[in-house]
Amino acid sequence: MAFLNLFQVLLLLSLAASALSTRPYKNGLTPYFYDFVCPQALPTIKRVVEAAVQKEQRMGASLLRLHFHDCFVNGCDGSILLDPTPTIDSEKRAGPNSNSARGFEVIDQIKAEVDRVCGGPVVSCADILAVTARDSVVALGGPWWKVRLGRRDSTTASRTTANLVIPAPNMDLPALINNFKRQGLKVKDLVALSGAHTIGFAQCRIYRDRIYNDSNIDHAFAKNLRYSCPRTGSDTNLASLDPTPAHFDTLYYNNLLTQKGLLHSDEALSTGEDALELVKRYSYNYEAFWEDFAKSMVRMGNIKPLIGNQGQIRSNCRRVN
């Protein structure tokens, strides 16, 4: 009987510890949200992401970008995934996303696989985007962090808002700071999250104005880019955002210190004292960059999530139920 009582006490303590570990954070999100309802959800996402990035390394940056562009428009609610309908003004048609945002078919595959292993639509599309962003960074050699989960999916989208609030590549530093401030993010978040440009590519139409009109750009760097990005035409030709577009390193920041940022908004980070100090620090200290990037990704992922009975869990990420 004494053994039984001890066993019961230990069991109760274990359950209490488990409850504390799964308790939601202040905004209702927790890294452990699916641990009991579908423990295979996160490993499934990781497997599909790794396969997609192995097939096409550029996909890692594309999937990370989807999460950014989702969160900045009315919060991290999966609205960027909704296709246009008579009642949905799709964010896919917004200027920053049109003929640019990609990876939707990978999200579709993840959703199908996760719903299969979970026995139904348990995991939201918004959470899939958040986990996919993390796993894409890891797949390209970057840091891992605990993704807070429990978001629900929006039933609306806003192309107008997307056009207004997604940071533009021609923004200067004050505009970028104000843009991030409106999302509850600070200068450190701006500089750290801009480090996402250590992977991926940009289209000629996005950086053309910089290589022909900016003065704070390395002459040889600009001249070389002009071969594949003439003043007119070739709008979709690609250039890498840093010298190693498939590896999550710190060369992006090194480029900024030598006026080789591909976008005007990239190089703008070197024009302010506080931002420049962070650029310098990250350029030689990858551990600092990784730590701050991970923390800033969590903060960005906390932007206005739908929780509880808000929104829905979509059965198909491209349309509302």
Side-chain angles (χ1 to χ4, degrees):
M1 180 66 74
F3 172 78
L4 181 61
N5 289 337
L6 177 61
F7 175 78
Q8 289 174 326
V9 170
L10 291 174
L11 178 61
L12 288 171
L13 289 173
S14 176
L15 290 173
S18 177
L20 286 172
S21 70
T22 58
R23 186 171 58 191
Y25 290 84
K26 186 176 180 180
N27 63 358
L29 305 180
T30 169
Y32 314 102
F33 191 83
Y34 300 107
D35 281 10
F36 297 109
V37 293
C38 187
Q40 288 304 309
L42 269 60
T44 300
I45 296 173
K46 181 175 183 285
R47 174 174 55 80
V48 179
V49 169
E50 287 177 342
V53 174
Q54 185 175 22
K55 181 179 179 181
E56 182 196 7
Q57 290 183 318
R58 180 188 171 201
M59 185 56 68
S62 298
L63 294 171
L64 174 59
R65 186 168 180 255
L66 284 181
H67 184 47
F68 273 85
H69 284 208
D70 182 46
C71 289
F72 268 69
V73 184
N74 297 323
C76 310
D77 59 5
S79 59
I80 192 173
L81 302 174
L82 290 172
D83 285 340
T85 71
T87 58
I88 297 292
D89 191 16
S90 178
E91 292 163 24
K92 294 179 180 180
R93 292 179 169 178
N97 297 325
S98 180
N99 298 315
S100 175
R102 58 196 299 273
F104 298 108
E105 70 286 352
V106 177
I107 300 300
D108 291 340
Q109 182 185 358
I110 292 171
K111 177 64 172 171
E113 288 292 306
V114 168
D115 283 2
R116 181 181 63 80
V117 300
C118 294
V122 173
V123 182
S124 69
C125 301
D127 275 350
I128 286 174
L129 284 176
V131 177
T132 296
R134 188 270 312 278
D135 290 347
S136 294
V137 169
V138 173
L140 294 174
W144 183 93
W145 62 92
K146 286 185 178 181
V147 178
R148 297 181 185 179
L149 303 165
R151 301 169 189 81
R152 290 170 64 85
D153 299 322
S154 70
T155 56
T156 61
S158 178
R159 176 174 57 169
T160 300
T161 304
N163 280 324
L164 289 173
V165 303
I166 293 176
N170 62 348
M171 280 184 170
D172 58 17
L173 185 59
L176 287 167
I177 291 173
N178 287 333
N179 180 283
F180 274 64
K181 185 178 180 180
R182 285 193 291 270
Q183 302 290 351
L185 300 173
K186 300 179 179 180
V187 172
K188 178 180 281 190
D189 299 309
L190 164 62
V191 180
L193 291 174
S194 294
H197 286 179
T198 188
I199 55 175
F201 297 80
Q203 296 181 12
C204 166
R205 64 186 178 90
I206 301 299
Y207 63 84
R208 175 182 283 122
D209 189 62
R210 169 154 170 75
I211 64 174
Y212 286 100
N213 298 318
D214 278 8
S215 58
N216 62 338
I217 187 168
D218 179 84
H219 176 74
F221 176 69
K223 183 179 179 181
N224 185 57
L225 287 167
R226 290 170 189 163
Y227 289 117
S228 58
C229 185
R231 288 185 181 273
T232 58
S234 303
D235 283 1
T236 58
N237 283 0
L238 297 174
S240 61
L241 286 159
D242 91 343
T244 53
H247 188 63
F248 201 90
D249 53 28
T250 62
L251 293 185
Y252 166 78
Y253 296 106
N254 290 92
N255 265 16
L256 301 187
L257 296 175
T258 55
Q259 297 191 328
K260 295 177 183 176
L262 183 64
L263 308 183
H264 180 89
S265 56
D266 289 330
E267 198 61 47
L269 300 180
S270 65
T271 62
E273 183 177 350
D274 291 342
L276 179 58
E277 284 304 309
L278 288 165
V279 168
K280 289 178 179 178
R281 184 177 185 222
Y282 296 156
S283 71
Y284 66 83
N285 189 337
Y286 81 89
E287 290 180 342
F289 167 47
W290 279 20
E291 180 180 352
D292 289 350
F293 181 84
K295 289 178 179 178
S296 292
M297 285 295 292
V298 171
R299 278 193 283 270
M300 185 184 73
N302 289 340
I303 297 175
K304 293 185 287 187
L306 299 176
I307 58 172
N309 294 321
Q310 299 172 317
Q312 61 182 211
I313 305 297
R314 292 187 212 134
S315 298
N316 183 325
C317 289
R318 292 176 181 259
R319 59 175 181 264
V320 298
N321 297 340

